[in-house]
């Protein structure tokens, strides 16, 4: 798979994740996420979107991220309750800018070293802004939201690390 194919898949995944996050939250409200915590139903998809943003930036650049955010917000507006779509649009804008501010300078130190702190910082801002603007209780929900988003980030990051380890072993054994 070429870098362009990966980038296109990341953009499609990102836009779909934003739409899915808002649709799920609009339709299902709060769900259990583990450790006795609850979060909005779209939390897993929102966490995945935050991480996919970094993939898009790596493959195409920040301009593509802005376009993906706009399309994702449009899909959200069409599939979600208006209050959820507005809260999401504002939260995504703020959290993506913060994520980019952390991710970009750290990227030269390695992908994992950049994606984890950037995504977690973006997730915290996304959570606080979204919950506040959506009219949901903020601080009682923050722990559950962060647990859900941590799951959404940890699983794909672990998968990427596993794939990289397999590739490295194959290259070492072939060489």
């Amino acid at each position: 798979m070429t870098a362009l194919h990966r980038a296109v898949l990341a953009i499609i995944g990102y836009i779909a994740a934003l739409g899915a996050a808002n649709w799920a939250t609009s339709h299902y409200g709060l769900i259990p996420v583990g450790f006795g915590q609850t979060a909005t139903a779209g939390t897993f998809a929102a966490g995945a979107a935050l991480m996919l943003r970094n993939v898009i930036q790596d493959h195409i650049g920040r301009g593509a991220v802005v376009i993906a955010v706009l399309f994702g917000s449009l899909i959200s507006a069409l599939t979600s309750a208006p209050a959820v779509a507005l809260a999401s649009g504002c939260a995504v804008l703020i959290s993506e800018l913060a994520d980019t501010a952390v991710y970009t300078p750290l990227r030269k130190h390695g992908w994992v070293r950049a994606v984890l702190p950037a995504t977690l910082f973006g997730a915290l801002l996304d959570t606080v802004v979204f919950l506040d603007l959506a009219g949901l209780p903020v601080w009682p929900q923050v722990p559950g939201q962060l647990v859900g988003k941590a799951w959404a980030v940890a699983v794909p990051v672990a998968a990427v690390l596993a794939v990289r380890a397999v590739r490295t072993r194959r290259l070492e054994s072939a060489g």
Side-chain angles (χ1 to χ4, degrees):
M1 182 181 298
T2 68
L4 179 59
H5 287 111
R6 285 191 297 272
V8 168
L9 288 175
I11 289 170
I12 291 168
Y14 178 83
I15 292 168
L18 288 180
N22 294 328
W23 181 87
T25 297
S26 292
H27 289 83
Y28 297 106
L30 298 174
I31 61 168
V33 293
F35 307 103
Q37 300 294 319
T38 60
T40 56
T43 296
F44 294 112
L50 287 166
M51 195 200 64
L52 285 167
R53 191 219 59 81
N54 298 317
V55 174
I56 296 166
Q57 180 178 332
D58 279 352
H59 290 292
I60 305 177
R62 287 186 237 167
V65 170
V66 172
I67 292 168
V69 168
L70 293 174
F71 275 106
S73 296
L74 176 62
I75 296 295
S76 295
L78 297 173
T79 61
S80 308
V84 170
L86 177 65
S88 174
C90 293
V92 165
L93 179 63
I94 291 167
S95 65
E96 295 297 356
L97 291 173
D99 184 297
T100 300
V102 174
Y103 180 79
T104 301
L106 292 177
R107 182 61 179 97
K108 63 185 169 219
H109 301 292
W111 183 74
V112 172
R113 289 184 178 145
V115 78
L116 290 177
T119 302
L120 292 175
F121 182 58
L124 177 62
L125 288 177
D126 179 74
T127 295
V128 171
V129 171
F130 175 79
L131 292 172
D132 186 50
L133 293 178
L136 298 168
V138 176
W139 299 112
Q141 291 301 317
V142 167
Q145 294 288 115
L146 294 180
V147 167
K149 288 176 183 171
W151 282 117
V153 172
V155 171
V157 167
V160 166
L161 292 174
V163 167
R164 286 182 178 174
V166 168
R167 280 187 190 160
T168 299
R169 286 190 190 119
R170 283 184 185 165
L171 290 173
E172 290 171 354
S173 65

